[in-house]
Amino acid sequence: MSTQNRCQLLDITREIMRIIEKQKIKEGVLHIFCPHTTAAVTVNENYDPSVQSDISKTLSKLIPHHAHYAHTEGNADAHIKAAVMGSSRTLFIHNGTIAFGSWQGIYFCEFDGPRTREVWVKVLKE
Amino acid sequence: MSTQNRCQLLDITREIMRIIEKQKIKEGVLHIFCPHTTAAVTVNENYDPSVQSDISKTLSKLIPHHAHYAHTEGNADAHIKAAVMGSSRTLFIHNGTIAFGSWQGIYFCEFDGPRTREVWVKVLKE
Amino acid sequence: MSTQNRCQLLDITREIMRIIEKQKIKEGVLHIFCPHTTAAVTVNENYDPSVQSDISKTLSKLIPHHAHYAHTEGNADAHIKAAVMGSSRTLFIHNGTIAFGSWQGIYFCEFDGPRTREVWVKVLKE
């Protein structure tokens, strides 16, 4: 997938749903893994997009792009944000699809874009 | 379950333990999932309850209730805290019960209560 | 394992890789669990070690060692950092080894060392 901004939460719910539903596993566990060190995955509100920009902006306020970092590639903040948000999330599969609570969606968290990115998924049968 | 305050860490160790032990799975993996976007789950110290209030208060200091958020429902902070803490945790099942390190317990993290809340659990056999 | 400093990210990639490869599971899921309440596990950049010190120092700036904490053991900050970073991570097993993205490694996050610490791992077959 492609991200458009340096920092951005991208809704990947439908893409993951489509992959999962093809696997025809009725009950199980879905693992999502982010193979990048300046990005993360999260599960959060999928109704009001301003929530996603609030998350992204608040993280950038707490962990600024430029500060006295030792890492000299100019993206130390992105590594720290990725570590705080986490590289993996686990959700449940019920009746062949992802079991969400109301308002939940899956987001790719870009902290050093724009870039071409990947997310890996795996489903384990119950 | 019911939460009593706007922000609160609730010890749910015993409730989850009871559900797990009924399943009679000897060895495996326990997944805990929070189906809410303004709450989270964590594993932390279950001895001194002041640790739980320190976690909650420090998060509120870093991510204040009122700030220049774009989300206008008055709970943008709760969504951000939930994203930082995470919606899922994985623990191990050993000898038919949850394998904890010393002092560990499971906590529901309420960031927009008081409310009626749920936690979902699933055990996969090894 | 032994940690050397109060706060430190320790590269445990090789040790975990060695354990996994002995299990001879071709495809599956690797769960890593930290049984301590003042430490955590993370997946992040394994090329430039300054990234690890940037993560550790930025966390200490946001969550200082000494502040008005209720927990009186002098390590409230360590519990909070552990909660924010998380006690578990999930990775994928492919072709009998851990599937990493470029530059990824597994780190033990010590927030109240130096101490003797453990990390628990479990692999589930796909």
Side-chain angles (χ1 to χ4, degrees):
Chain A
M1 96 199 79
S2 294
T3 56
Q4 282 75 46
N5 304 313
R6 181 160 198 268
C7 294
Q8 166 185 23
L9 267 72
L10 204 75
D11 191 340
I12 53 172
T13 314
R14 274 189 209 187
E15 286 81 351
I16 293 184
M17 201 92 114
R18 222 170 288 148
I19 297 166
I20 298 319
E21 295 181 352
K22 273 183 195 161
Q23 302 204 2
K24 303 199 184 295
I25 288 174
K26 275 287 194 189
E27 304 293 318
V29 166
L30 160 65
H31 297 292
I32 305 173
F33 181 74
C34 171
H36 309 285
T37 59
T38 53
V41 282
T42 194
V43 173
N44 212 283
E45 153 126 7
N46 75 343
Y47 183 70
D48 177 7
S50 67
V51 167
Q52 292 125 53
S53 69
D54 281 337
I55 293 172
S56 177
K57 279 178 191 166
T58 302
L59 282 174
S60 294
K61 218 172 130 184
L62 292 170
I63 304 161
H65 188 178
H66 300 292
H68 296 290
Y69 300 120
H71 184 59
T72 54
E73 290 177 24
N75 62 357
D77 64 313
H79 288 289
I80 303 164
K81 289 171 184 173
V84 164
M85 293 295 282
S87 54
S88 56
R89 283 287 179 277
T90 297
L91 295 106
F92 294 168
I93 303 291
H94 181 58
N95 279 335
T97 189
I98 305 168
F100 284 114
S102 328
W103 321 118
Q104 284 186 319
I106 305 168
Y107 290 86
F108 182 82
C109 308
E110 173 63 84
F111 298 125
D112 193 33
R115 289 199 194 203
T116 302
R117 299 290 206 175
E118 279 177 32
V119 161
W120 299 349
V121 298
K122 219 183 247 285
V123 179
L124 262 66
K125 239 191 247 185
E126 211 178 335
Chain B
M1 96 199 79
S2 293
T3 55
Q4 282 76 47
N5 303 313
R6 179 158 200 272
C7 293
Q8 168 184 23
L9 267 72
L10 205 74
D11 191 341
I12 54 172
T13 315
R14 275 189 207 186
E15 288 80 353
I16 292 184
M17 202 92 114
R18 221 170 290 148
I19 297 166
I20 297 320
E21 293 180 352
K22 272 184 196 160
Q23 301 203 5
K24 303 199 185 296
I25 288 174
K26 276 285 190 190
E27 306 292 320
V29 165
L30 160 65
H31 297 291
I32 306 173
F33 181 75
C34 171
H36 310 285
T37 58
T38 55
V41 282
T42 194
V43 174
N44 213 283
E45 152 128 8
N46 75 342
Y47 182 71
D48 176 6
S50 67
V51 167
Q52 292 124 54
S53 69
D54 281 338
I55 293 172
S56 176
K57 278 179 193 166
T58 303
L59 282 174
S60 294
K61 218 172 129 184
L62 291 171
I63 305 161
H65 187 178
H66 300 291
H68 297 290
Y69 299 119
H71 185 58
T72 54
E73 289 176 27
N75 62 357
D77 65 313
H79 288 290
I80 303 163
K81 289 171 183 174
V84 164
M85 293 296 281
S87 54
S88 57
R89 283 288 179 275
T90 297
L91 295 106
F92 294 168
I93 303 292
H94 180 58
N95 279 334
T97 188
I98 305 168
F100 283 114
S102 330
W103 321 119
Q104 285 186 319
I106 304 168
Y107 290 87
F108 182 82
C109 308
E110 173 63 86
F111 299 124
D112 193 32
R115 290 198 193 203
T116 303
R117 299 292 205 172
E118 279 177 31
V119 161
W120 299 350
V121 297
K122 217 182 249 284
V123 180
L124 261 65
K125 240 190 246 182
E126 209 177 337
Chain C
M1 97 199 79
S2 293
T3 55
Q4 282 76 46
N5 303 313
R6 179 158 200 271
C7 293
Q8 168 183 23
L9 267 72
L10 204 75
D11 191 341
I12 53 172
T13 314
R14 274 188 209 187
E15 287 81 353
I16 293 184
M17 201 93 113
R18 223 169 288 148
I19 298 166
I20 297 320
E21 293 179 354
K22 273 184 196 161
Q23 301 203 4
K24 303 199 185 294
I25 288 174
K26 276 286 194 189
E27 305 292 320
V29 165
L30 159 65
H31 297 291
I32 306 174
F33 181 75
C34 171
H36 310 285
T37 59
T38 55
V41 281
T42 194
V43 174
N44 213 282
E45 152 127 8
N46 77 342
Y47 182 71
D48 176 8
S50 67
V51 167
Q52 291 125 54
S53 70
D54 281 338
I55 292 172
S56 177
K57 280 179 192 167
T58 302
L59 283 174
S60 294
K61 218 172 129 184
L62 292 171
I63 304 161
H65 188 178
H66 301 291
H68 297 288
Y69 300 121
H71 184 58
T72 54
E73 290 177 24
N75 61 358
D77 64 314
H79 288 290
I80 303 164
K81 288 170 184 173
V84 164
M85 292 296 282
S87 54
S88 56
R89 281 289 178 276
T90 298
L91 294 105
F92 294 168
I93 303 290
H94 181 57
N95 279 334
T97 190
I98 305 168
F100 284 114
S102 329
W103 322 118
Q104 285 187 319
I106 304 168
Y107 291 87
F108 182 81
C109 309
E110 173 64 84
F111 298 125
D112 193 33
R115 291 199 192 203
T116 303
R117 300 291 206 174
E118 279 177 32
V119 162
W120 299 348
V121 296
K122 217 182 248 286
V123 179
L124 262 67
K125 239 189 249 184
E126 207 177 336

